[in-house]
Structure formats: C-alpha cells, structure tokens
Amino acid sequence: MKIIDNILIDNLAEEAKKSPRLRMNYNFHQSLQDKCHRFLNAMEPGTIIPVHHHPTKEETFVVLRGKVRVTTYNDNGEVLESCVISQEEGRYGVDIPKNVWHGVECLEPSVLLECKEGPFVEHEVDGILEVKEQ
C-alpha cells in the first residue's frame, strides 16, 4: 500500500520546484504500458500543460493542494469552458471526456491526482491545438 500523505506531497512539490519543467510526477502505475495510469502531478506557477486531447481516453484531475485552471476548447481553438479547481473554492476536480481539447494552467503551487487509461501516448501523437487569443 502506498500512503498519500503530506510527506509524499511535500517531497514531490520540492522536486517540482527544482525541475526545468516546474512539474514532477509520482506514478502509482508500474509501467507506461499499464492499462490505468494513476499519478500525482506537482506543479509550480508558470506551468502550462499545452492544449491537447486524448482521442480514446477520459482523464480525471482531483486537486489535493493548490489551485489550477482547467480549460476546454472546441476544434477551432475557442474556449468552451474554464474552471478553477481548488479545495478552498469547493471545486475539487474535473473529469474530461475523451477527445475533448483541454489545457491546464497552474495558478499556485499545486498537486493533482490524475487518472487516465494507458498506455502513455505523447501529446505530439494525440495532437496539440493552437488556441485563439481571448
């Protein structure tokens, strides 16, 4: 059994601060080929996960610490919906249906629990979307 506690989250957050990408994952799955990917994703402000989609996979984000904005887009790069998730705001997470364009922006030091179907596919394979200026 792996315990998700402050020690794990604090250590992961420290690793994210030192990372050039300003984020760090802690995987619970054993392999990138596993059928279900469950992991913690620690992010620092300035982290923006590019707008992408998973044509055959749903994805769930639950915030354990911090605040992030999750935005969905149509195929033309126009915003469909935007939501800030944080425990203090009482919005704990989002579930993104398969084939929906979405991006994540870290607003304050954050740790998310993420879950999606495996195996891992690079965003460049699934696709990155150019978004419209707002």
Side-chain angles (χ1 to χ4, degrees):
M1 179 167 59
K2 295 182 181 177
I3 307 294
I4 302 170
D5 59 10
N6 283 330
I7 294 169
L8 175 60
I9 289 173
D10 290 344
N11 289 338
L12 189 61
E14 282 303 313
E15 288 183 45
K17 287 179 188 175
K18 297 174 190 171
S19 168
R21 294 179 351 144
L22 298 176
R23 63 182 165 131
M24 186 63 62
N25 287 0
Y26 179 91
N27 294 340
F28 296 106
H29 54 281
Q30 300 300 307
S31 160
L32 294 178
Q33 298 305 309
D34 283 0
K35 291 182 179 182
C36 182
H37 287 200
R38 301 142 0 258
F39 57 98
L40 300 179
N41 190 348
M43 298 180 250
E44 286 293 303
T47 299
I48 297 176
I49 298 174
V51 178
H52 64 285
H53 69 160
H54 308 286
T56 61
K57 303 174 186 183
E58 291 90 4
E59 186 169 22
T60 301
F61 304 118
V62 177
V63 69
L64 301 178
R65 177 186 291 174
K67 184 184 293 188
V68 300
R69 177 181 309 284
V70 181
T71 305
T72 58
Y73 301 84
N74 65 19
D75 289 340
N76 296 320
E78 300 163 334
V79 172
L80 292 175
E81 192 171 8
S82 188
C83 176
V84 172
I85 57 174
S86 75
Q87 291 186 351
E88 70 184 31
E89 295 191 26
R91 280 189 221 102
Y92 302 101
V94 295
D95 187 65
I96 309 288
K98 64 183 169 185
N99 207 35
V100 172
W101 294 101
H102 60 283
V104 178
E105 176 187 7
C106 180
L107 303 175
E108 63 184 44
S110 300
V111 178
L112 302 179
L113 174 65
E114 296 189 31
C115 186
K116 65 183 166 192
E117 181 182 345
F120 175 75
V121 177
E122 292 280 347
H123 292 320
E124 288 76 22
V125 174
D126 277 353
I128 301 284
L129 182 68
E130 244 353 271
V131 297
K132 307 275 185 203
E133 292 294 320
Q134 296 185 35

